[in-house]
Amino acid sequence: MNETVAIVGSGLIGRAWAMIFARAGWDVRLFDTAEGVAAAAVPLCADGLRTLAAHGLCADPDGAAARIHAVGSLADALRGCTFVQENGPELAEVKRTLFEEMDALAPSNTVIASSSSAIRCSLFTDDLPGRGRCLIGHPVNPPHLIPLVEISGAPWTDPAALTRAREVYEAIGQVPIIVLKEIEGFILNRLQGALLAEAFRLASEGYVTPQDLDRTVSDGLGLRWSFMGPFETIELNAPGGIADYCARYTGFYKRLAAEPPPPAVYEDAAVQTILSQWTAPGDLPARMRRRDERLAALRAHKTQQKD
């Protein structure tokens, strides 16, 4: 018997989740509060699955598409489902209302996960009878191509619900991580925010053009970070590993940390400075081919360093 997931909210993220679950063999029920959106999402999911198949990322696109169905009510979506993935607007009060309804309708042992990008679970589940089975399952856009999922519970989330969510995401081919303590923005967006703040400062204050800053990431940090995290990177960047790296560079990084980028870097003057210099890079296919070649060589180099 196939497991059934209720996808609540059938926009871009909801459709991606539908493809992921269907590709993994789950029955998928799509629901959206806006009339006609769920029904329109079904053929879009089928098109997306065929695109995935063309790139070797879905073995049976037609079979997966046949497992995706639109339903007309939230009750129909949740009846007998074994997992819920909510993808509503990024507004705490909207999520609170939606979670109240889902908690009342979903089977009592079913985990209810939100795709929230930054809103903490505790801000909209505190007074629910079934709050222990509610959590965040934040994907990275586009989820059907980037597998990371951040699992974050409220202080009252049942550890068994976190375990169940991790098992589900792993079973459908995603890469879940656990956020051990609630924090706004979770992990990925906080890391991205730190990089963006420094990127805005460096470009808006005239240290580098926006284009060259992007190249610094896409052809520098990004190549390493596509298969190594920051801790693994510094472990391999000094003969004595992480401790040695920190001993060598602690002065420099402490000076940087003492002068964090001010919030003003996101304000209009900084944005306009970036836009006045910005031109979109061209020849994406050629850049992607070079990236693939470099990644293969970098992976081999990493293996040699570890040997």
Side-chain angles (χ1 to χ4, degrees), residues 31 104 124 138 141 144 156 168 188 227 283:
F31 171 73
F124 55 86
H138 171 230
N141 195 23
H144 57 296
W156 46 77
V168 167
L188 183 142
F227 64 96
D283 202 5

Side-chain angles (χ1 to χ4, degrees), residues 138-163:
H138 171 230
V140 183
N141 195 23
H144 57 296
L145 298 176
I146 303 178
L148 185 78
V149 184
E150 297 178 295
I151 301 172
S152 177
W156 46 77
T157 300
D158 188 337
L162 299 172
T163 299

Side-chain angles (χ1 to χ4, degrees), residues 138 146-151 166 169-170 172-177:
H138 171 230
I146 303 178
L148 185 78
V149 184
E150 297 178 295
I151 301 172
R166 184 165 204 157
Y169 292 133
E170 287 177 342
I172 62 174
Q174 301 301 93
V175 178
I177 68 155

Side-chain angles (χ1 to χ4, degrees), residues 99-117:
F99 265 71
E100 286 174 354
E101 297 175 12
M102 293 189 296
D103 187 42
L105 292 168
S108 60
N109 61 342
T110 297
V111 170
I112 305 177
S114 173
S115 295
S116 171
S117 296

